[in-house]
Amino acid sequence: MSSALLGLELRGELAVLTIVERDGSVAAAIDEPLDGPVEHWWNTHPAERYRAVLALLERALREGLLAGGKIAGIGLTCSHGLTLLDPDYEVLSDVPWGSFLDGTERTPGSALGALAEREPKWARRVGVVMSTLDYVRFRLTGALATHAGFAYSLGLTRPGAIDAWDHAGIEGLGLSPSMFPPVFRAPERVG
């Protein structure tokens, strides 16, 4: 097997791994069901998404679809989600999303604002704010960064600069800019 490119997609109730040869041909595609309901991003624990990714990679290695030393790059895509880590980089899994999310706060940005406003004790426990995609990448590579699309979707970027946080906006929520990892643009390599 020559070097391969991996595409990891977390969507709906599945995690999907596509292995693509350098010439563009698809060598294999496998999937792994996600455990638990995934109708909305707040119903699926970020660690479950990471578990599904690991299960796919382990399965691909075990079945001989992939050789560890032959991975040239990994692309990861995931629906929006908000992951809150404590200062020790562990997921705050007990955030009571259901107690303050009504029909209007279903995006990560509005949910973060509602958390900060209505549940300040929870907001004080937050060490890092990131997307679910960024969390999975962090667990795979150790790279603590946020992609620009997520930063923009939170509504907390400086006007005209989607790759820079709006510190005044963050502080206006009662949060600290230090909770937000550096922003990178999509074409940049991270991890």
Side-chain angles (χ1 to χ4, degrees):
M1 170 186 281
S2 63
S3 63
L5 303 170
L6 306 183
L8 287 163
E9 181 180 6
L10 298 161
R11 64 168 188 230
E13 296 182 359
L14 291 175
V16 179
L17 171 65
T18 304
I19 303 169
V20 180
E21 297 292 340
R22 294 297 285 229
D23 66 3
S25 63
V26 175
I30 57 176
D31 59 60
E32 173 77 14
L34 292 169
D35 185 29
V38 289
E39 291 177 15
H40 306 290
W41 61 264
W42 54 87
N43 286 338
T44 304
H45 194 289
E48 167 56 17
R49 295 194 185 255
Y50 176 63
R51 183 218 53 86
V53 166
L54 285 184
L56 280 173
L57 294 173
E58 289 169 354
R59 180 176 157 201
L61 290 167
R62 187 176 57 252
E63 293 179 6
L65 302 172
L66 183 64
K70 299 291 185 175
I71 300 170
I74 300 174
L76 178 63
T77 187
C78 177
S79 58
H80 283 296
L82 181 61
T83 299
L84 306 176
L85 305 180
D86 67 19
D88 295 322
Y89 304 106
E90 296 297 325
V91 174
L92 287 174
S93 59
D94 56 348
V95 176
W97 295 115
S99 70
F100 64 88
L101 287 179
D102 61 25
T104 62
E105 291 106 0
R106 299 301 170 127
T107 67
S110 61
L112 182 62
L115 175 69
E117 178 184 332
R118 300 178 198 161
E119 302 282 343
K121 69 178 183 173
W122 290 97
R124 285 191 294 276
R125 293 181 56 206
V126 175
V128 179
V129 175
M130 60 181 19
S131 74
T132 304
L133 181 145
D134 295 323
Y135 171 74
V136 171
R137 186 186 52 256
F138 167 66
R139 290 295 309 267
L140 288 172
T141 69
L144 192 59
T146 297
H147 65 284
F150 176 71
Y152 180 75
S153 75
L154 287 180
L156 294 173
T157 55
R158 289 194 316 233
I162 65 167
D163 59 349
W165 293 111
D166 175 6
H167 289 205
I170 291 169
E171 290 167 349
L173 290 175
L175 302 173
S176 169
S178 66
M179 296 173 173
F180 295 79
V183 179
F184 70 96
R185 291 179 184 263
E188 295 175 13
R189 289 183 183 181
V190 177

